[in-house]
Amino acid sequence: MKVVTFSFSIFFMLGLSARSQEVSVDSKINPPLQFEKKKIASESFESVGVLDVNGDKIPDLISGSYWYEGPDYLERHFITDFKRYDQYYDDFSTLPLDVNGDGLMDYITGGWFAKRLVWMENPGDNNAWTEHLIADAGNIEATRIWDIDGDGISEIVPNTPNDSLIVYRLKKDAQGKNIGEFEAFPITGKHDHGLGFGDVNGDGRGDLITSKGWLEAPEKPFEGKWLFHSDFDFDKASIPIIVVDVNKDGRNDIIVGQAHDYGLHWYEQKQDKKGILSWAKHDIDPYNSQFHTMQWADLDGDGNNELITGKRYRAHSGNDPGSNDPYGLYYYKFNGENFVKQIIDYGVFGSGKGTGIHFVVTDLNASGLSDIVVAGKDGLYIYFNRGHAK
């Protein structure tokens, strides 16, 4: 195991408005967090999930064709053979959900090539898992799980840039038990690369964000029509696009990475006297590329979330701008004026670590601090959070 510690920060000045400059800043400046890097596998699957597979109340890891038994993750168990297409496995998400209500945690996946959205059934033992088709959804770039209607039950939302945007809702029986089937709710037509979810306009309902604009949720999300607002163009945007009030001015902003080019930015929401929205673009990290996926989570335990992201390794088989630059995993902390960049890992292939298409931030070892589990074509790793450097 290798301890990776960095004691420097990289600042990007964002040219904030007078309102955002009024955000209070904690006068206490902590040193950067320290992470212990542990290699789990050399497999090149690009997604990882964390769930309790065997019911022992200890988090396990699922990545591609295998699950790794916690707490040491040394014992590996077979799930299924995912088909490989050149440099890709057709396995673009690992989203935990007890689909059939049997008390065992299953998961959702799907891929670009076979165009199938599926759920993998947990057998409850060490046998292979059974694949069940949810839908022939089209080319799936990645999938996310969000509670679209606010009823406490999450829906499945694949990003299918060549096809319609459709939400898949889990069916239940009369007793409220999941029955292993889904119903489809079309939201809009072709929507391109990039997908997010959050309350954009402050009406208490979750809206869907695409790379070309946002879809305003109706009062009844699965009955009414979603209204499209073409407020922006994020090109080949990250999955997810994050909706959060960055500067704490009471209006939600948007954080988006360029999945297949250089750039990581946040867009400050502004409103004129008539309530018309506009978006002021601010740099977070314009000098790195392939910010394909990200998380917004509290790493240091101070009650404020950090942005965790990095460069996806060989996102387009080495053909994206900056693909041959060094790889990195980073967190960015907003201090009221700027996003401050801290390096978790960085270097050329074999030294640094990039992200895959889906990673997890969670407390694996009950330390009270969130760890980071990252897959990718450059292997599967855990970064154990050891707190602030002394």
Side-chain angles (χ1 to χ4, degrees):
M1 291 186 288
K2 175 184 177 183
V3 177
V4 181
T5 307
F6 294 87
S7 59
F8 57 88
S9 304
I10 301 174
F11 292 79
F12 293 100
M13 306 306 296
L14 305 179
L16 301 180
S17 66
R19 180 179 62 256
S20 63
Q21 289 175 340
E22 294 171 358
V23 177
S24 61
V25 181
D26 191 341
S27 59
K28 181 182 177 182
I29 300 176
N30 287 313
L33 293 170
Q34 193 173 46
F35 291 86
E36 185 175 290
K37 180 179 179 181
K38 179 177 181 178
K39 185 174 183 178
I40 302 301
S42 297
E43 306 291 346
S44 57
F45 302 103
E46 291 199 74
S47 179
V48 63
V50 177
L51 56 152
D52 182 5
V53 172
N54 54 5
D56 64 358
K57 302 188 185 307
I58 297 173
D60 307 302
L61 309 184
I62 286 182
S63 186
S65 293
Y66 306 98
W67 69 273
Y68 301 83
E69 190 171 342
D72 54 18
Y73 308 106
L74 296 176
E75 190 169 353
R76 186 176 78 170
H77 306 276
F78 180 72
I79 294 175
T80 191
D81 279 320
F82 285 101
K83 188 171 182 180
R84 182 160 190 161
Y85 297 81
D86 190 22
Q87 297 185 28
Y88 302 87
Y89 285 98
D90 217 21
D91 171 46
F92 282 45
S93 64
T94 316
L95 306 174
L97 184 67
D98 181 3
V99 176
N100 57 0
D102 65 354
L104 298 172
M105 195 59 71
D106 314 300
Y107 71 95
I108 311 294
T109 186
W112 180 269
F113 302 95
K115 303 182 180 181
R116 291 161 49 91
L117 181 67
V118 303
W119 69 277
M120 302 299 299
E121 183 180 358
N122 186 342
D125 53 31
N126 289 333
N127 289 319
W129 296 40
T130 302
E131 178 183 292
H132 300 272
L133 180 68
I134 299 173
D136 291 310
N139 298 118
I140 300 173
E141 180 71 26
T143 302
R144 288 297 180 266
I145 186 166
W146 293 307
D147 183 2
I148 299 296
D149 58 355
D151 66 351
I153 302 167
S154 295
E155 281 74 45
I156 308 303
V157 192
N159 184 198
T160 49
N162 294 325
D163 296 273
S164 297
L165 176 57
I166 298 175
V167 171
Y168 297 89
R169 191 182 193 189
L170 192 57
K171 291 182 179 180
K172 296 181 175 294
D173 62 17
Q175 288 71 45
K177 177 185 174 182
N178 301 344
I179 63 172
E181 299 177 5
F182 292 82
E183 52 187 334
F185 293 91
I187 303 297
T188 190
K190 185 177 177 180
H191 56 286
D192 216 335
H193 193 300
L195 188 64
F197 177 73
D199 185 2
V200 173
N201 57 356
D203 63 0
R205 298 192 289 269
D207 309 301
L208 285 162
I209 296 84
T210 74
S211 61
K212 304 298 184 186
W214 61 284
L215 291 145
E216 182 179 350
E219 186 174 350
K220 295 182 178 180
F222 298 122
E223 297 179 22
K225 182 179 180 180
W226 292 65
L227 179 63
F228 181 70
H229 301 269
S230 56
D231 286 6
F232 39 72
D233 185 346
F234 294 148
D235 196 23
K236 296 295 185 289
S238 54
I239 309 162
I241 298 166
I242 293 174
V243 181
V244 65
D245 186 0
V246 171
N247 54 11
K248 299 183 180 179
D249 65 352
R251 293 194 289 268
N252 275 340
D253 311 298
I254 291 174
I255 302 174
V256 60
Q258 287 302 306
H260 297 288
D261 207 335
Y262 285 91
L264 176 63
H265 305 88
W266 74 281
Y267 290 77
E268 180 186 1
Q269 182 182 158
K270 296 176 178 293
Q271 292 187 26
D272 64 15
K273 294 180 179 180
K274 296 181 180 180
I276 298 174
L277 303 187
S278 61
W279 303 89
K281 181 180 180 180
H282 303 290
D283 285 344
I284 299 176
D285 189 347
Y287 305 114
N288 286 282
S289 73
Q290 296 169 274
F291 291 101
H292 203 287
T293 185
M294 58 186 67
Q295 298 280 358
W296 182 252
D298 185 4
L299 284 178
D300 58 10
D302 68 351
N304 296 308
N305 286 356
E306 287 76 46
L307 175 66
I308 306 102
T309 184
K311 178 183 177 180
R312 181 182 171 196
Y313 176 62
R314 298 186 68 79
H316 272 167
S317 303
N319 294 313
D320 282 338
S323 183
N324 294 325
D325 295 346
Y327 301 93
L329 181 65
Y330 322 111
Y331 73 92
Y332 304 80
K333 190 171 186 66
F334 190 70
N335 66 5
E337 294 183 354
N338 316 300
F339 271 98
V340 182
K341 180 179 182 179
Q342 302 286 1
I343 295 176
I344 299 170
D345 202 354
Y346 182 80
V348 298
F349 175 71
S351 173
K353 175 74 177 87
T355 66
I357 207 165
H358 182 263
F359 69 95
V360 179
V361 179
T362 190
D363 186 355
L364 286 177
N365 53 7
S367 69
L369 293 171
S370 291
D371 311 300
I372 304 172
V373 189
V374 190
K377 296 187 184 82
D378 52 352
L380 175 62
Y381 289 79
I382 298 172
Y383 290 83
F384 287 105
N385 189 344
R386 301 308 188 198
H388 291 291
K390 303 300 183 183

